[in-house]
Amino acid sequence: MSNSKRIIIEPVTRVEGHGKVSILLDENNKVTQARFHVVEFRGFERFIQGRPYWEIPVLVQRLCGICPVSHHLAAAKAMDKIVGVDKLTPTAEKLRRLMHYGQMFQSHALHFFHLCSPDLLFGFDADPKIRNVIGVAIKYPELAVQGVMMRKYGQEIIKATAGKKIHGTGAIPGGINKNLSIAERDVFLKDIKQMLDWARGALNIAKDYTVKNLDMLKPFASFDSNHLSLVRSDGAMDLYHGNLRAITADGKKIFDQVDYSNYSDYIAEEVKSWSYMKFPFIKSLGPQNGWYRVGPLAGINTCDFIDTPEAEKARKDFMALTSNKPNNITMAYHWARMIELLHSAEKINELLHDKDLQGTDLVVKGKRRNEGVGLIEAPRGTLFHHYKINDNDQIISANLIVSTTNNNEPFNRAVQKVAADYIDGVPKITEGLLNRIEVAIRAYDPCLSCATHALGKMPLIVTLYDYQGNEIDSKTKQ
Amino acid sequence: MSEQITFTIDGIEIKGKAGQTIIEAADEAGIYIPRLCYHPELAPHGSCRVCTVLVNGKPQSACTQPIAEGITVENNTKELDEHRRNLIDMLFIEGNHFCMFCEKSGNCELQAVAYRLGILAPKYPYFFPKKDVDSTHPDIFLDLNRCILCGRCVSASRDIDGKGVFEFVGRSIEKKIAVNAEASLKDTNLKQADKAADVCPVGTINKKRTAFAIPIGKRLYDSKPIGSDIESRRK
């Protein structure tokens, strides 16, 4: 009884939300399982019931203050279906895309420069007193400034398209409520070259870091997994719209070009008693083997090519690292994320030169339906919104599979891998273990508040349990 | 030519016409008195009390009180604005007003008056009352969570549309707007073009499929506070 061991780490910092980790040991103090608990609950799916459908894109984006645009657009895409619209006007679609690329750009810049760069620049074991955004600002002031300015640029694009930097109203069922004026466009054109430059610079940092430290990063928190994302009908990466594609760890297609309205034929969700976050899996593979990763790493792995030249070149470099097979290195998320950042900047540049943004045909009407599904590639990966409404226009059911939820099992695998590598018969939580668990979780840029639709800040508690479930060590990181 | 009546509001001499209420004369003269239930095309209701002014030192609702020769009206005072803020704070907590996703946001008179008076956060604990939603009408969505019982829809439907679709029922905290039908709004003869569907100062009576069509920045109260249109009349 007394030799039982279990490790808990909480809270996890520099991710959005709140996390708690339990590590379960066997009789020989070997790690048998790690659980990344998400312990808050918000219940958006329940409390939007009864609300009119047109309110939803504005309401559900309140799930998050970091990527509300993704929820806003995924819900709006679902509502397009509800109002019977399968194709928007060019102006509406391009405005929404601009909003989305602005969102991707600012979120990825925030994560790279402010959340993960301290780990990359100072090393996992650097003193937490300098391994933070202030430390980056002191030692690498130009990077800290770039992070702020890139985030601002993305946020200003969101404001110009959605009306507000956070929680705007731009996308409405069947279209958009404003176009982009010439004056608004010119403000963004003035700075786009600088943004492209900085995006290239960030990509290089992430790439050089990964290549230089490959021996250390390759096994770190890594494991084989399936990958899932939206791809365009020609196989190109498309962050705003496409069909579902899932591949195995070695690149075999599990399904391809699936109309996302039928996602529930391919993907199911499992509930576990110890987390409010559900566990999605590919039905044909079952819950044991059907879990998958989403987000930048999965997006680069699943697509055939990227339709912007610089990001495509970067993708080829990235894929060359693993001989054009899917990359399963957890820490490669950072590199992949910067490819998406550059792709978003290229797309913004492309769109700003498109006269359709000044069009005035904003909304399409169609024949009302009672069900709508909307998917988008959010900064943290594929985001599912699914709604059913009654004949009185009220929501009767909703299912949201948030990007971070898709990565639920991968979190556990990453933490388990780190714990197994780091706890070698000594049932103790060391500073090194705490740091590494955080670094592994942070690679996914998880947004736990979205995933459980939860409140709160994000401290990390790690607790170590023995094979009989008794707590033997616990450490908290603020 | 109607009889001219001279009086003062906050020391400014106003020349009104006999039969006008204080709010009508003030509006004409370009002086904004905060209000919620008052609507220039409807009979004054005097229920919200937000337009309360001091007439020769006595509190009166400006929308119901007729002007009189030589009266002294106090409107723009710290004390009155404090009373108004309290009234509005109570309206917020008695209902379920979630401006962040309300389709009326930016065009809502309750929100706009609150902003104008400097209310940035609730002062009293929320009641979180259970209120009804009626979405049965094909073109109109009724959300009583946001109703402030101003009575505009009651008057408009009765006096302008000649229909009597809405009526008050209950008393005190139980008081609410009811529809004049066996079951729900779809059983009434309310039409989207009716005045009653057009006068709600908050997000209670909403025309379906029009939400969020006006972008942020172009909404009624985005750039200028409520009452600016009245104040622009001032010579």
Side-chain angles (χ1 to χ4, degrees):
Chain A
M1 292 280 279
S2 59
N3 59 354
S4 44
K5 287 133 206 152
R6 181 182 280 211
I7 293 177
I8 295 184
I9 302 181
E10 78 173 355
V12 183
T13 55
R14 280 190 276 136
V15 292
E16 309 297 334
H18 175 107
K20 178 182 148 180
V21 171
S22 291
I23 300 167
L24 280 58
L25 305 180
D26 67 10
E27 287 168 281
N28 300 315
N29 292 330
K30 297 281 183 202
V31 175
T32 57
Q33 202 184 24
R35 291 172 176 176
F36 185 56
H37 308 260
V38 176
V39 290
E40 294 109 337
F41 182 72
R42 287 174 87 183
F44 264 74
E45 286 152 328
R46 178 65 188 83
F47 71 65
I48 61 171
Q49 287 176 18
R51 300 308 307 169
Y53 70 81
W54 51 81
E55 217 172 59
I56 300 307
V58 177
L59 200 172
V60 291
Q61 65 175 339
R62 294 273 166 179
L63 273 164
C64 187
I66 300 289
C67 60
V69 167
S70 308
H71 291 290
H72 180 56
L73 290 176
K77 288 176 80 178
M79 296 316 153
D80 294 342
K81 295 282 179 192
I82 298 269
V83 297
V85 173
D86 295 319
K87 190 162 175 52
L88 301 179
T89 66
T91 299
E93 170 156 343
K94 287 173 184 174
L95 252 297
R96 284 195 192 176
R97 280 182 178 271
L98 181 64
M99 192 196 298
H100 185 52
Y101 291 121
Q103 158 70 17
M104 296 296 285
F105 190 74
Q106 70 86 10
S107 178
H108 282 354
L110 168 76
H111 180 259
F112 184 72
F113 287 95
H114 295 159
L115 302 183
C116 84
S117 76
D119 301 329
L120 274 45
L121 296 170
F122 298 119
F124 304 170
D125 288 320
D127 184 348
K129 284 195 192 116
I130 62 152
R131 193 167 53 98
N132 57 49
V133 67
I134 305 295
V136 173
I138 292 168
K139 185 128 188 250
Y140 304 96
E142 72 293 350
L143 286 185
V145 169
Q146 285 174 22
V148 171
M149 298 309 286
M150 289 166 86
R151 179 136 202 266
K152 183 173 190 299
Y153 188 84
Q155 291 283 36
E156 292 293 345
I157 285 183
I158 294 168
K159 188 181 173 195
T161 49
K164 273 166 78 188
K165 288 179 189 167
I166 303 172
H167 303 139
T169 64
I172 54 178
I176 191 115
N177 66 16
K178 76 183 285 286
N179 66 5
L180 193 76
S181 70
I182 299 274
E184 286 168 324
R185 181 201 65 186
D186 289 348
V187 170
F188 298 118
L189 275 175
K190 190 167 69 64
D191 290 330
I192 186 65
K193 276 203 174 109
Q194 180 66 80
M195 294 303 139
L196 280 160
D197 262 356
W198 286 344
R200 288 179 198 116
L203 171 67
N204 283 335
I205 294 172
K207 177 186 163 185
D208 292 348
Y209 170 80
T210 314
V211 173
K212 200 171 133 202
N213 297 289
L214 193 61
D215 289 345
M216 184 264 288
L217 298 179
K218 216 169 180 174
F220 178 78
S222 292
F223 47 85
D224 283 355
S225 76
N226 305 309
H227 299 270
L228 177 136
S229 81
L230 293 176
V231 291
R232 213 164 64 184
S233 51
D234 59 359
M237 168 184 275
D238 192 336
L239 300 175
Y240 176 75
H241 191 66
N243 297 315
L244 280 168
R245 174 184 284 178
I247 60 166
T248 61
D250 56 358
K252 289 194 196 74
K253 290 196 176 77
I254 303 166
F255 52 73
D256 192 17
Q257 298 299 343
V258 167
D259 176 353
Y260 63 58
S261 292
N262 305 322
Y263 80 95
S264 58
D265 293 339
Y266 296 84
I267 288 164
E269 292 177 280
E270 191 185 16
V271 176
K272 293 187 183 176
S273 59
W274 46 269
S275 179
Y276 277 123
M277 191 154 75
K278 291 192 239 175
F279 288 78
F281 60 93
I282 293 162
K283 275 183 169 177
S284 63
L285 301 177
Q288 283 300 318
N289 303 314
W291 55 276
Y292 54 87
R293 284 192 267 198
V294 299
L297 182 73
I300 305 275
N301 281 334
T302 48
C303 77
D304 298 330
F305 68 101
I306 300 177
D307 68 346
T308 54
E310 294 190 55
E312 171 60 5
K313 189 182 167 303
R315 185 194 70 84
K316 283 181 173 158
D317 289 348
F318 181 89
M319 295 308 291
L321 189 78
T322 48
S323 311
N324 291 318
K325 288 282 178 195
N327 184 325
N328 287 289
I329 304 169
T330 290
M331 289 299 281
Y333 259 101
H334 296 301
W335 183 359
R337 192 170 289 116
M338 290 304 96
I339 298 174
E340 282 193 355
L341 177 88
L342 181 58
H343 172 61
S344 300
E346 287 182 284
K347 281 289 186 187
I348 290 168
N349 189 26
E350 208 174 88
L351 284 164
L352 290 175
H353 289 89
D354 192 324
K355 292 212 175 340
D356 279 344
L357 289 190
Q358 282 77 50
T360 51
D361 197 1
L362 304 181
V363 182
V364 185
K365 290 194 168 115
K367 193 171 179 320
R368 249 269 270 113
R369 302 170 180 142
N370 280 1
E371 190 167 358
V373 177
L375 265 69
I376 199 162
E377 282 295 314
R380 291 154 185 87
T382 319
L383 169 64
F384 299 63
H385 278 219
H386 181 189
Y387 304 95
K388 289 181 187 165
I389 64 168
N390 62 18
D391 290 340
N392 294 332
D393 304 319
Q394 294 167 291
I395 302 289
I396 50 172
S397 82
N399 187 36
L400 311 179
I401 309 179
V402 173
S403 318
T404 294
T405 305
N406 289 303
N407 278 333
N408 197 358
E409 183 62 25
F411 290 148
N412 293 297
R413 300 282 168 151
V415 173
Q416 185 170 343
K417 179 72 173 35
V418 171
D421 289 348
Y422 221 77
I423 297 173
D424 191 16
V426 184
K428 225 175 152 36
I429 304 167
T430 60
E431 191 66 24
L433 174 66
L434 274 177
N435 290 343
R436 277 161 181 74
I437 287 175
E438 277 197 313
V439 169
I441 292 171
R442 207 175 286 131
Y444 291 87
D445 187 14
C447 188
L448 305 181
S449 42
C450 285
T452 57
H453 325 298
L455 294 161
K457 295 197 174 129
M458 180 65 195
L460 173 74
I461 304 167
V462 177
T463 308
L464 189 64
Y465 294 94
D466 72 358
Y467 70 104
Q468 288 175 319
N470 300 310
E471 183 178 322
I472 49 173
D473 197 6
S474 182
K475 271 215 172 101
T476 300
K477 192 153 197 197
Q478 292 295 347
Chain B
M1 184 88 184
S2 54
E3 186 197 344
Q4 191 176 79
I5 291 177
T6 306
F7 66 105
T8 64
I9 300 178
D10 295 331
I12 299 161
E13 193 180 273
I14 308 289
K15 294 184 192 312
K17 300 181 199 89
Q20 279 185 318
T21 59
I22 293 173
I23 213 166
E24 285 171 331
D27 280 2
E28 244 179 53
I31 292 173
Y32 173 68
I33 299 171
R35 80 288 302 270
L36 275 176
C37 67
Y38 172 73
H39 188 286
E41 294 171 59
L42 304 172
H45 195 237
S47 61
C48 78
R49 317 309 287 183
V50 170
C51 70
T52 299
V53 290
L54 295 180
V55 180
N56 293 339
K58 284 173 70 177
Q60 301 284 355
S61 57
C63 71
T64 53
Q65 183 68 21
I67 54 172
E69 189 67 31
I71 56 170
T72 304
V73 177
E74 291 169 68
N75 167 46
N76 189 12
T77 75
K78 278 188 178 170
E79 194 190 350
L80 281 169
D81 277 351
E82 187 54 30
H83 286 311
R84 289 164 180 157
R85 273 192 287 274
N86 280 326
L87 288 168
I88 288 165
D89 266 319
M90 288 190 276
L91 288 174
F92 271 113
I93 57 117
E94 281 174 15
N96 297 308
H97 297 275
F98 299 109
C99 298
M100 70 286 275
F101 62 83
C102 177
E103 61 189 88
K104 194 80 175 203
S105 197
N107 298 309
C108 170
E109 293 179 38
L110 176 67
Q111 183 191 46
V113 173
Y115 276 141
R116 171 148 185 156
L117 293 173
I119 298 174
L120 296 174
K123 181 171 171 181
Y124 304 114
Y126 286 110
F127 283 13
F128 292 120
K130 183 146 177 42
K131 302 274 187 179
D132 296 328
V133 167
D134 186 338
S135 191
T136 56
H137 193 285
D139 298 318
I140 291 158
F141 174 65
L142 184 66
D143 188 346
L144 296 186
N145 286 292
R146 303 161 179 163
C147 181
I148 56 168
L149 302 173
C150 68
R152 286 189 193 175
C153 56
V154 177
S155 309
S157 187
R158 181 191 59 220
D159 301 338
I160 296 184
D161 303 330
K163 291 183 176 178
V165 169
F166 298 103
E167 194 45 86
F168 285 117
V169 294
R171 294 180 68 79
S172 185
I173 196 71
E174 302 296 329
K175 187 173 177 175
K176 66 176 184 178
I177 291 285
V179 294
N180 185 14
E182 281 294 312
S184 54
L185 202 58
K186 73 172 185 330
D187 307 314
T188 69
N189 54 356
L190 181 69
K191 295 276 178 275
Q192 212 179 49
D194 287 354
K195 195 74 189 168
D198 216 29
V199 291
C200 182
V202 291
T204 294
I205 300 173
N206 306 288
K207 294 178 181 177
K208 284 188 172 182
R209 299 173 296 279
T210 61
F212 307 109
I214 304 169
I216 294 170
K218 296 271 165 80
R219 300 171 306 182
L220 216 45
Y221 307 118
D222 277 338
S223 47
K224 287 187 181 161
I226 191 168
S228 300
D229 55 335
I230 292 168
E231 288 168 324
S232 68
R233 288 176 209 152
R234 182 123 180 249
K235 287 168 190 146

